[in-house]
């Protein structure tokens, strides 16, 4: 195999206690460019800019909106890291924060590993994988010990505090991590996704040949869905807290709170896919704690097991007429599939009976 190109910050092999800072200025497109780059190891850097502004922000004043029309533009950069047509890449011990648009903009990747990386308070999204009409990833995509938080918000410089949160209703975005149509075998292990202004981790456009695994993930206070996936999906030993109104105090438009019904876990399996949701704590304020819909094809061939989960409804205080969340909702197109609902504990949910269409159901832990 080709030897990797190694871009290493000082102290990368000693815990990366004081990573060197790479920062963009004067409307730079990106700080780090990996387009067309393969066999790369990037480790131990802080990637940011020195401005509080957000590109194209909908703020009524110009305080939060970057200067794009005339020089000097100011000490801001749009994206922390851009990549495309890239394989066999390792990112580790990076802190990507405070960029005017995306922390990472990357698609058409194969065999990437992302470990001990923070992607925090970038103005539009944390990891934007929808780069153009041809965006599909492949191979093994691993995210381990990663934090993705407060994306869709600006970051005050130099205080490093999130502010000016905005979302889709005002023309922004806000996913912590989102992709376009994609294949690949995705693993999210010990990932903390929280306080993003849209969804936490959004793999809803994963194709039927893709596999998405969420293991020991903590997803909380994202304004849309906490986790979502198409294709085949496993959700194991994770904590999902769907308090989707948590960003109300930041000024996020009310219509962006609990968007996409605010379901804590949204799964859209397609033909012959398998779904396992086992041993999780799932709570939420949205319409349902688990939403299952047909992702395409003959969904009667889907197999699913929802077992040994604690499912708890949370009160929604911002809307007086809001209903308590249901436990699991299954779209009619999936109700002929081999789905089992076994050994779950239900508390404060809209219905304590079996979800409609489930072939096997028990409520005792």
């Amino acid at each position: 195999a080709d030897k990797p190109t190694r871009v290493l910050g000082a102290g990368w092999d000693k815990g990366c206690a004081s990573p060197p800072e790479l920062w963009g200025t004067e409307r730079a497109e990106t700080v780090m460019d990996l387009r067309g780059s393969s066999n790369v190891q990037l480790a131990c850097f802080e990637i940011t800019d020195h401005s509080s502004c957000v590109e194209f922000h909908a703020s009524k004043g110009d305080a939060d909106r970057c200067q794009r029309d005339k020089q000097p533009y100011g000490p801001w950069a749009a994206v922390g890291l851009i990549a495309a047509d890239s394989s066999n890449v390792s990112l580790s011990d990076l802190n990507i924060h405070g960029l005017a648009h995306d922390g990472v903009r990357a698609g058409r990747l194969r065999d990437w590993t992302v470990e001990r990386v923070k992607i925090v308070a970038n103005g539009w999204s944390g990891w934007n994988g929808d780069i153009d009409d041809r965006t599909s990833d492949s191979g093994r995509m691993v995210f381990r010990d990663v934090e993705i938080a407060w994306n869709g918000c600006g970051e005050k410089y130099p205080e490093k505090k999130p502010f000016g949160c905005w979302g889709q209703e005002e023309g922004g975005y806000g996913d912590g991590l989102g992709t376009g149509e994609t294949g690949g075998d995705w693993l999210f292990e010990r990932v903390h996704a929280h306080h993003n202004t849209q969804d936490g981790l959004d793999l809803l456009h994963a194709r039927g040949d893709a596999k998405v695994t969420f293991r020991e993930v903590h997803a909380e206070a994202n304004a849309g869905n906490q986790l979502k996936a198409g294709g085949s999906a496993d959700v194991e030993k994770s904590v999902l807290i769907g308090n989707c109104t948590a960003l109300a105090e930041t000024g996020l438009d009310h219509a962006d709170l609990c968007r996409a019904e605010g379901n804590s876990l949204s799964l859209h399996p397609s033909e012959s896919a398998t779904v396992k949701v086992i041993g999780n704590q799932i709570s939420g304020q949205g319409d349902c704690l688990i939403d299952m819909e047909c992702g395409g094809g003959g969904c009667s061939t889907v197999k699913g097991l929802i077992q040994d989960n604690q499912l708890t409804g949370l009160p929604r205080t911002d809307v007086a007429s809001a209903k308590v969340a249901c436990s699991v909702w299954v779209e009619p197109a999936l109700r002929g599939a081999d789905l089992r609902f076994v050994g779950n504990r239900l508390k404060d949910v809209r219905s304590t009976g079996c979800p409609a269409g489930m072939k096997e159901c028990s409520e005792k832990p």
Side-chain angles (χ1 to χ4, degrees), residues 106-108 127-137 173 175 177-183 186 202-207 210 230:
R108 295 195 301 274
W127 182 293
N128 182 358
D130 193 3
I131 59 172
D132 56 31
D133 293 337
R134 297 182 304 109
T135 192
S136 180
D137 304 304
Y173 180 24
D175 269 358
L177 179 147
T179 71
E181 180 180 321
T182 187
W186 295 75
D202 181 359
L203 273 292
L204 197 65
H205 299 292
R207 298 192 306 262

Side-chain angles (χ1 to χ4, degrees), residues 179-333:
T179 71
E181 180 180 321
T182 187
D185 185 356
W186 295 75
L187 171 64
F188 298 89
E189 188 170 48
R190 297 187 300 276
V191 172
H192 189 192
H194 63 96
H195 293 92
N196 298 288
T197 65
Q198 192 159 282
D199 302 317
L201 304 176
D202 181 359
L203 273 292
L204 197 65
H205 299 292
R207 298 192 306 262
D209 60 336
K211 172 69 178 292
V212 181
T213 300
F214 300 110
R215 181 179 299 141
E216 296 183 45
V217 166
H218 188 124
E220 179 178 3
N222 300 289
N225 307 130
Q226 305 307 305
L227 302 179
K228 56 205 306 184
S232 292
D234 288 355
V235 187
E236 308 168 357
K237 300 179 181 179
S238 294
V239 177
L240 313 185
I241 304 175
N243 49 338
C244 48
T245 64
L247 293 174
E249 296 181 358
T250 69
L252 185 65
D253 190 287
H254 189 272
D256 279 314
L257 300 175
C258 301
R259 67 172 304 280
E261 304 295 339
N263 303 307
S264 298
L265 175 62
S266 184
L267 300 174
H268 290 198
S270 51
E271 184 175 4
S272 300
T274 60
V275 172
K276 295 180 182 178
V277 182
I278 300 177
N280 305 284
Q281 298 179 44
I282 304 175
S283 58
Q285 299 171 311
D287 184 48
C288 290
L289 302 178
I290 302 175
D291 158 60
M292 296 186 66
E293 301 183 31
C294 178
C299 285
S300 63
T301 59
V302 170
K303 294 184 179 181
L305 175 62
I306 301 172
Q307 180 174 342
D308 296 334
N309 303 287
Q310 174 69 59
L311 304 174
T312 306
L314 300 176
R316 182 169 175 177
T317 58
D318 64 317
V319 179
S321 60
K323 298 181 292 185
V324 175
C326 82
S327 57
V328 182
W329 185 78
V330 180
E331 183 187 26

Side-chain angles (χ1 to χ4, degrees), residues 64-130:
D64 306 334
R65 189 182 181 102
C66 296
Q67 167 62 261
R68 290 182 48 86
D69 300 329
K70 60 182 180 180
Q71 294 179 319
Y73 301 116
W76 66 272
V79 182
L81 185 151
I82 287 180
D85 306 304
S86 174
S87 62
N88 191 26
V89 170
S90 167
L91 307 181
S92 60
D93 297 302
L94 303 179
N95 183 6
I96 303 172
H97 65 95
L99 280 306
H101 208 287
D102 303 325
V104 176
R105 185 181 299 165
R108 295 195 301 274
L109 313 178
R110 178 170 57 85
D111 296 330
W112 272 47
T113 300
V114 181
E115 296 182 298
R116 300 182 304 280
V117 170
K118 294 183 178 182
I119 307 174
V120 178
N122 299 287
W124 281 68
S125 69
W127 182 293
N128 182 358
D130 193 3

